[in-house]
Amino acid sequence: MPICISPDLPAYEILAKEHIFVMSEDRAAHQDIRPLRVLILNLMPKKIETECQFLRLLSNTPIQVDVEFLHVSSHISKNTSQNHLATFYRTFDEIRDQYYDGCIITGAPVEHLEFQEVDYWQEICQIMEWTKLHVFSTMHICWAAFAGLYYHFDVPKYTLPQKMFGVFPQRVLMPHCQLLRGFNDVFHAPHSRHAEVRRVDIEKVNRLCILTESEQSGVHIVANNNGRQYFITGHSEYDRCTLRQEYLRDAQKGMDIALPYGYFPDDDPTREPHYSWGCSANLLFSNWLNNCVYQLTPYDLTSLEVYNWDWEAGL
C-alpha cells in the first residue's frame, strides 16, 4: 500500500520516479479504510532531502500511511523556503487537538548546545509532552533521541571529543522485541553526531531498555518498556551519499573532519560509498509501522487518552 501525500510536495515526483507507490490525497479520500496517521516533526536543515528519506522508508509496508509534516514556529529555517513550509507543513498550534498513530521527531544539528540553549527547546518540550496522550508510538532520531531521553527520563547527554561519524556495526540485544523482528544479530547503521548517551545512565531507569548497541558507536536504540517510545541515536534514514555530502561540506570549509568510518571502499573518498544499511533501515521502519503501531493502535484515535503513560504494550 502507498504513502499518502500531497501531489505538489517535491518528494511526490521524486518517489514516483523511483517506482515507490505514492497516492494523492484525493484518491485516498475515496477508499473505505482507515490509514495510519503519521506525523513527522522535521528539524533537519535540508527539509526536502529529509522528507524523501523518511517517505522512502515509510512506503515499505502494505499499510496505507497518511503523512503530515510539522515544523517548529519558534525557529526560522535558513535552508528551506518559507513558501515550502507554509504549503506543506503545519505548526504545533494547528495540530495540538489532533491524534496520530505514529510520530517521528528527526535529528537536528544542535548536539553541541545544552538543551536549554536551543532556541526552540520550550516548543520541543511542549510537543514531546503532547505526544504522550496524542500519539500511540513516537520514534526519536539522533538529537531528538537525546532530547527525549533527557526530557522524559532525565538521562544526560555527553559531548564527544570528536564527531561520531560513519557506518558502524550494531549488535542486537533484544532479538524478540517487535521493533527488531527479523534482524540479523549484527547490522549496520550510519551515525553523524557530536554527543552520546551512556549505558550506565540508561540502566538507572527501570522503564528503559537498550535494544541495540555498538562497541564503536555506543548505545544505539533505546525503548520505553511500554513499547510506545523509541530513541535511536543513529540515522538509518540516510541515503547512500548523505555522509559523503557531509564529509565534503566540512572538508571544503577547512574543518578537521575524519573520513566516515566503514563507509568508503578502502577509505577512498573518490569511490562510490557502500550502502550497507538499506535492508536493516527498511526493516526497522516497516517493523515499527506494522508491529509497533498498526497491530496495537486503537481504531478510534481519540481513545488514545485511555492508553496512559504506564500502559503496557510490551516490547
Side-chain angles (χ1 to χ4, degrees), residues 13 35 141 152 159 169 216 261 286 291 313:
E13 183 176 352
I141 307 294
H152 292 296
T159 300
Q216 295 100 321
Y261 176 90
S286 63
N291 303 332

Side-chain angles (χ1 to χ4, degrees), residues 164-181:
M164 187 66 65
F165 192 41
V167 182
F168 300 91
Q170 314 294 320
R171 185 163 55 95
V172 172
L173 305 180
M174 296 276 291
H176 300 299
C177 73
Q178 299 282 18
L179 188 68
L180 301 177
R181 182 179 294 178

Side-chain angles (χ1 to χ4, degrees), residues 28-89:
H30 292 86
Q31 292 196 320
D32 189 23
I33 59 174
R34 184 179 90 68
L36 293 182
R37 296 191 71 198
V38 172
L39 181 70
I40 300 178
L41 172 53
N42 191 352
L43 303 174
M44 294 292 276
K46 296 183 178 180
K47 293 200 175 347
I48 295 176
E49 178 180 296
T50 302
E51 292 160 13
C52 290
Q53 291 172 351
F54 280 107
L55 290 173
R56 286 189 186 98
L57 295 170
L58 293 175
S59 70
N60 190 33
T61 172
I63 303 164
Q64 182 181 318
V65 182
D66 283 1
V67 180
E68 296 178 30
F69 291 99
L70 185 69
H71 74 100
V72 288
S73 58
S74 48
H75 177 78
I76 303 300
S77 177
K78 299 177 182 178
N79 297 280
T80 304
S81 73
Q82 292 304 302
N83 181 63
H84 183 84
L85 294 177
T87 304
F88 302 112
Y89 281 71

Side-chain angles (χ1 to χ4, degrees), residues 34-39 64-66 99-103 134-138 228 288-289 292-294 296-301 304:
R34 184 179 90 68
L36 293 182
R37 296 191 71 198
V38 172
L39 181 70
Q64 182 181 318
V65 182
D66 283 1
Y99 293 84
Y100 296 87
D101 300 285
C103 175
H134 287 259
V135 178
F136 185 79
S137 181
T138 302
R228 294 184 58 190
W288 178 63
L289 284 175
C292 306
V293 180
Y294 178 71
L296 300 170
T297 189
Y299 185 87
D300 179 7
L301 283 175
L304 274 178

Side-chain angles (χ1 to χ4, degrees), residues 92 105 115-116 120-133 138 140 143-157 197 205 207-208 224 229 231 309:
F92 181 53
I105 306 177
F115 292 119
Q116 292 77 10
Y120 47 83
W121 176 245
Q122 291 304 316
E123 186 174 359
I124 289 293
C125 290
Q126 281 187 300
I127 294 171
M128 290 192 294
E129 183 65 26
W130 169 86
T131 62
K132 290 159 60 173
L133 286 179
T138 302
H140 309 70
W143 178 80
F146 305 144
L149 287 168
Y150 176 75
Y151 175 77
H152 292 296
F153 303 103
D154 207 26
V155 173
K157 74 174 175 71
V197 288
V205 184
R207 294 168 65 184
L208 294 177
N224 185 327
Q229 290 178 316
F231 308 90
W309 190 235

Side-chain angles (χ1 to χ4, degrees), residues 3 23 29-30 60 95 113 134 151 165 173 183 188 192 213 268 296:
I3 49 174
M23 179 184 287
H30 292 86
N60 190 33
I95 59 95
L113 298 175
H134 287 259
Y151 175 77
F165 192 41
L173 305 180
F183 268 67
H188 289 82
S192 178
E213 68 178 353
D268 181 354
L296 300 170

